[in-house]
Amino acid sequence: MPAKAARLRRVSIDTAKHLWNLCGITMQFERRNIKNLRIGIYAPHGEVRVAAPRRMAEATVRNFVISRLGWIVRKRSELQHRQVPPAPQLVSGEVHYYQGRPHVLEVSEIRGTPAVRRNTDATLQLRIPAGSDAAARLKVLNHWYRRELGVQLAPLLQAWEARLGIKVAQLRIRQMRTRWGSCNARSRRVCLNLDLIRRSPRCLEYVLVHELVHFFERGHNARFYRLMDELLPEWRDCRAELNRQRSPT
């Protein structure tokens, strides 16, 4: 169907959110306190979400979505045909990443407190109580990952706060399904994806700087990219490295 002949139809309404149907594709549409219109496509089934500034005309949103229809169809197809890797079982011999490098897991059962230890021979020793299932083992490993990421972030954040002349009110680490990081410039809060501990240190610094630059420029516009170029000239290489592995943003 030609783009100009397409029809965008609202099929149901849920408070501030609408469901749209375009050429057989159902999309979730909502208005947010943002500057730019966004289209996101999410795994595993290719769910489409459209977020628009509160004052943007609906016709403008409609025309933009129609102009991106080919991209939407292509990205949904890629997601729907992507093979989902098997869930980790947290058993000896599995490979888990730390700071971008593979480590072989060595699991041993103990009676005491669960713990993780990283050895110089690129192994991770996971000590867990007997009978612990995969979920319990993953919880222990993620607890260690979170602590390690916090240790790595502390000097990075301090250095960049001093360089930029800012102060972050709160830095949180959590598992994020679709983004590497987020920030609220007004409240000075930053949130980073726990999965960054599995990526190289330069990727961690890139995401942190990316979020801190939003304190000065909320949108991804020319000024934002100019600031990134000035502060971290290699940021595009870091972004490409993240995208080669997994890109939630």
Side-chain angles (χ1 to χ4, degrees):
M1 176 184 294
K4 63 181 180 181
R7 294 292 182 270
L8 195 59
R9 179 170 56 90
R10 184 180 301 147
V11 296
S12 68
I13 300 177
D14 177 18
T15 61
K17 298 180 180 180
H18 307 295
L19 293 181
W20 282 353
N21 186 284
L22 175 61
C23 298
I25 302 175
T26 299
M27 307 176 187
Q28 177 181 292
F29 168 71
E30 63 180 323
R31 294 192 179 276
R32 297 182 187 171
N33 187 26
I34 55 178
K35 288 186 177 181
N36 301 309
L37 195 153
R38 303 173 184 170
I39 301 178
I41 303 176
Y42 301 93
H45 305 300
E47 177 187 3
V48 182
R49 302 177 196 168
V50 180
R54 296 188 184 281
R55 296 184 179 182
M56 182 174 287
E58 187 167 319
T60 301
V61 179
R62 180 180 64 246
N63 291 336
F64 181 79
V65 173
I66 289 173
S67 72
R68 299 290 286 165
L69 181 59
W71 175 81
I72 292 171
V73 171
R74 184 170 64 254
K75 295 297 291 185
R76 291 185 80 242
S77 178
E78 291 174 1
L79 284 176
Q80 291 168 354
H81 291 88
R82 179 184 298 174
Q83 290 186 346
V84 179
Q89 298 301 306
L90 281 294
V91 295
S92 292
E94 273 188 352
V95 175
H96 292 261
Y97 280 78
Y98 174 82
Q99 290 191 317
R101 297 181 178 181
H103 287 65
V104 177
L105 195 66
E106 294 181 353
V107 180
S108 58
E109 296 183 344
I110 60 170
R111 292 186 178 181
T113 304
V116 178
R117 177 180 176 181
R118 185 172 70 94
N119 299 320
T120 56
D121 62 348
T123 61
L124 290 177
Q125 286 186 328
L126 174 60
R127 300 178 178 181
I128 44 100
S132 298
D133 60 12
R137 297 179 181 194
L138 182 59
K139 184 176 181 179
V140 173
L141 181 60
N142 280 341
H143 178 77
W144 179 79
Y145 272 146
R146 185 182 300 275
R147 186 180 63 197
E148 289 289 307
L149 186 56
V151 170
Q152 294 172 30
L153 275 170
L156 269 180
L157 179 62
Q158 185 177 14
W160 281 103
E161 282 179 326
R163 181 173 177 181
L164 298 174
I166 61 174
K167 187 65 178 179
V168 175
Q170 183 183 45
L171 177 62
R172 296 179 58 199
I173 298 170
R174 66 184 181 91
Q175 292 181 309
M176 305 172 74
R177 187 168 64 94
T178 61
R179 308 186 70 171
W180 290 114
S182 65
C183 87
N184 186 318
R186 181 173 299 177
S187 61
R188 303 273 161 166
R189 293 186 175 92
V190 173
C191 185
L192 297 183
N193 194 327
L194 175 62
D195 198 42
L196 285 167
I197 191 62
R198 298 178 172 88
R199 314 306 173 187
S200 67
R202 74 173 192 156
C203 291
L204 172 61
E205 184 173 33
Y206 153 64
V207 176
L208 175 63
V209 174
H210 179 113
E211 300 308 331
L212 294 181
V213 169
H214 279 307
F215 282 30
F216 303 94
E217 181 54 62
R218 296 188 181 184
H220 292 107
N221 53 25
R223 180 169 182 258
F224 175 86
Y225 293 123
R226 184 169 63 252
L227 288 170
M228 288 295 298
D229 287 338
E230 294 173 0
L231 296 168
L232 204 69
E234 69 276 16
W235 72 268
R236 288 181 175 82
D237 293 336
C238 298
R239 182 180 63 179
E241 183 177 333
L242 282 174
N243 288 340
R244 284 194 297 269
Q245 300 168 72
R246 182 180 68 85
S247 178
T249 55

